[in-house]
Every structure is written in C-alpha cells, then in structure tokens.
Amino acid sequence: MNYKILIKHIFVLVVFSAMSPVELSAQGPPITADKPIMLSKGSFIAKTLTEYRSTDFGNFTKVPIMLHYIFHKNALVALHVPFVKYDFDPGFGFDGSGLGDMNILLKYQFFRNDKTGKTFRMVAKSLQNLPTGEKLDIHDMSTGLYKGYYAIVAGYETIKYGISGEIGYNLSLQDETDELRINLGFGLPVLKPVYPVNQLNLFFEYSYVRATEIEANMLLYAQGIQYARKRLTIETAIQLPLYQTELHHGNRKYSLLFGARYII
C-alpha cells in the first residue's frame, strides 16, 4: 500500500472539523486535553489529531480517524483508528508503518449546572486501548497491549474563558506500565462570541503522567491555536516537555499536532 497516498486521502476527508453550537460558543474542544461539554443527541463527528513526535529514540507519526456519536443527551461512544509511522534511531528498532492501537471511548455526563453565560459540567470517561498495533512501546501510539483508562473530566466555561481538568488512571495488566494522568487546560477566545460560530481560540494545556510502578514522571506543556467557523474547526499546537525522568517509553523532545473536526 502507498501510505503517502493514504495519508493524503485521510487529510482530505478529515481536514474539516466540528464546532458545537452549544449554549456557550466561546471555546471549542481543547486540543490535547478533553472537555465535558457534549453536542446534542444524535450528533456525529469525524475528527483527527495528527501528531509528529520526536523522542530520544526515534521519530513517530500518528494519523488517527476518530468517529464520535452522541447516542444519548448525556452519553457518547467513539472509535479511534490510527495509522502510525515509526522511524527508530539505529539500535532502538526498525522503521515501518501500519495500524496502531485502536481505541474505544465511552463518556457519560453525570453533572451539569448551567447559569447565564457560564456552565460547569462533569463526565465519567473510559478509554479502552486495543492491541491492534505492533508491540513497539510507542506511548499512546503502538504498544500491542490491552489497557483500560478510567477518568473524571470537569470543565467550567464562560463566554470569556474556559477551564478543563481531568484525572484518571491507565491500567495495564500485561506489563508494568500503569499510569496516573492529570490534564489541565485553559481556553481563551480572541474574538467576540457570535452565532453562527466564528471564533479564534488560544489554548494553554498541561499534561502530567506518572508511571506508578517504575516511579517515573513526565510533565508536558502544549501551546495551541484553534479556528472555528460554523461546523468547522482546525487547530494546531506544539507540545514540549517541562520535566521528565526515564520513562519506560523514553523521553520526548517535542510534538507537533494538527487537528480537524467536522460535525455531520
């Protein structure tokens, strides 16, 4: 298969993205983090978040196709199918490409408090990592292992700013890669809120990972920008390590991300 052609086709299919016309249209979904605000029942979203990651043992690219369906006003189910390209440094592995670890996502919104011009919501989240990729120990890309991630996501949003937080645990019964994960994101709209949506957002996002069994840590910071027009959103970000110790999957140098969402 010509993977360059495949990537181009995927890009064309998902270069457009979805922006929910919810009560508050100030911020779109965070780029590297998550958000508890859902679309209306029956909404279907096609999205991607391509990542190019440079590490101390190679460079890796992940191009996922993510299909989300809100089947209940408080519940969402999603399937993530990633294409992964890996270029290991000499002595660390071989080069190649193919299917990465697929994910099944479930979210349930169990708390919602709306007031004039602001809202606070919480969801329970489960992300199941399926062993469809090669056993390459590429974090969140291709591990070839079954893992279950369970988290609570909370978010507070006004027409002037948005704050989202997440705490969860990634459980792996097949090896010693259990992780505590904490995410914190801040969204700042640049333009005045209007409807239909026409908004430019800045995002400041932190991600902390602690490998609990080997007592290693990683703190990442992502600076992103996002443009939303009606049902359309495109976004990009750069993610840098602020602090890291020797994790089982190696240390990172940086990640470049480009995302898109489209609501059907």
Side-chain angles (χ1 to χ4, degrees):
M1 178 181 292
N2 190 324
Y3 289 111
K4 291 184 179 180
I5 296 177
L6 175 61
I7 292 175
K8 291 179 181 178
H9 287 176
I10 292 173
F11 178 82
V12 170
L13 286 172
V14 296
V15 69
F16 300 110
S17 63
M19 179 67 183
S20 168
V22 293
E23 298 92 334
L24 297 172
S25 58
Q27 295 87 36
I31 298 174
T32 62
D34 203 351
K35 187 175 184 177
I37 295 177
M38 296 185 186
L39 308 186
S40 59
K41 179 182 177 181
S43 298
F44 184 81
I45 307 168
K47 56 187 291 188
T48 188
L49 184 60
T50 296
E51 177 185 1
Y52 173 81
R53 182 189 303 168
S54 179
T55 76
D56 59 4
F57 64 99
N59 301 316
F60 313 101
T61 302
K62 178 182 179 181
V63 183
I65 296 177
M66 298 182 279
L67 306 174
H68 289 211
Y69 178 63
I70 295 85
F71 62 91
H72 184 273
K73 66 178 183 178
N74 294 322
L76 172 153
V77 63
L79 175 66
H80 299 174
V81 182
F83 166 80
V84 176
K85 185 177 184 298
Y86 38 95
D87 297 307
F88 285 96
D89 291 340
F92 288 95
F94 55 92
D95 299 341
S97 57
L99 182 66
D101 295 334
M102 296 172 58
N103 302 134
I104 296 176
L105 171 67
L106 293 171
K107 290 170 66 175
Y108 179 75
Q109 182 177 266
F110 62 88
F111 181 83
R112 175 173 177 171
N113 184 14
D114 295 336
K115 295 184 178 179
T116 303
K118 57 187 175 182
T119 185
F120 177 75
R121 306 184 191 186
M122 299 180 70
V123 303
K125 172 180 174 180
S126 168
L127 182 71
Q128 303 303 309
N129 188 82
L130 306 180
T132 54
E134 297 284 346
K135 290 186 177 181
L136 302 175
D137 198 23
I138 307 175
H139 192 240
D140 289 340
M141 288 192 182
S142 185
T143 65
L145 300 173
Y146 176 81
K147 300 184 181 185
Y149 176 68
Y150 309 94
I152 298 294
V153 183
Y156 177 75
E157 187 169 308
T158 76
I159 60 175
K160 295 182 178 180
Y161 63 89
I163 303 173
S164 63
E166 177 176 343
I167 182 168
Y169 196 81
N170 198 30
L171 180 64
S172 177
L173 300 178
Q174 296 179 274
D175 63 3
E176 297 180 351
T177 58
D178 285 12
E179 295 173 337
L180 171 67
R181 298 187 179 188
I182 301 174
N183 295 320
L184 180 63
F186 302 90
L188 180 66
V190 177
L191 307 177
K192 292 182 179 180
V194 295
Y195 186 82
V197 173
N198 182 36
Q199 186 56 263
L200 185 68
N201 300 307
L202 299 177
F203 282 99
F204 313 85
E205 299 173 352
Y206 297 86
S207 178
Y208 172 72
V209 177
R210 176 170 175 79
T212 57
E213 297 188 54
I214 62 173
E215 299 184 348
N217 302 276
M218 176 173 64
L219 177 62
L220 304 173
Y221 172 73
Q223 178 67 67
I225 186 169
Q226 177 188 82
Y227 177 68
R229 175 65 176 170
K230 296 183 179 178
R231 294 175 176 267
L232 204 64
T233 305
I234 57 175
E235 55 200 7
T236 187
I238 181 170
Q239 189 178 58
L240 301 169
L242 300 180
Y243 173 79
Q244 56 188 333
T245 54
E246 289 296 332
L247 292 163
H248 53 82
H249 49 76
N251 288 337
R252 302 193 189 187
K253 297 179 181 178
Y254 64 89
S255 287
L256 300 176
L257 302 108
F258 175 78
R261 311 166 197 255
Y262 182 70
I263 184 170
I264 301 172

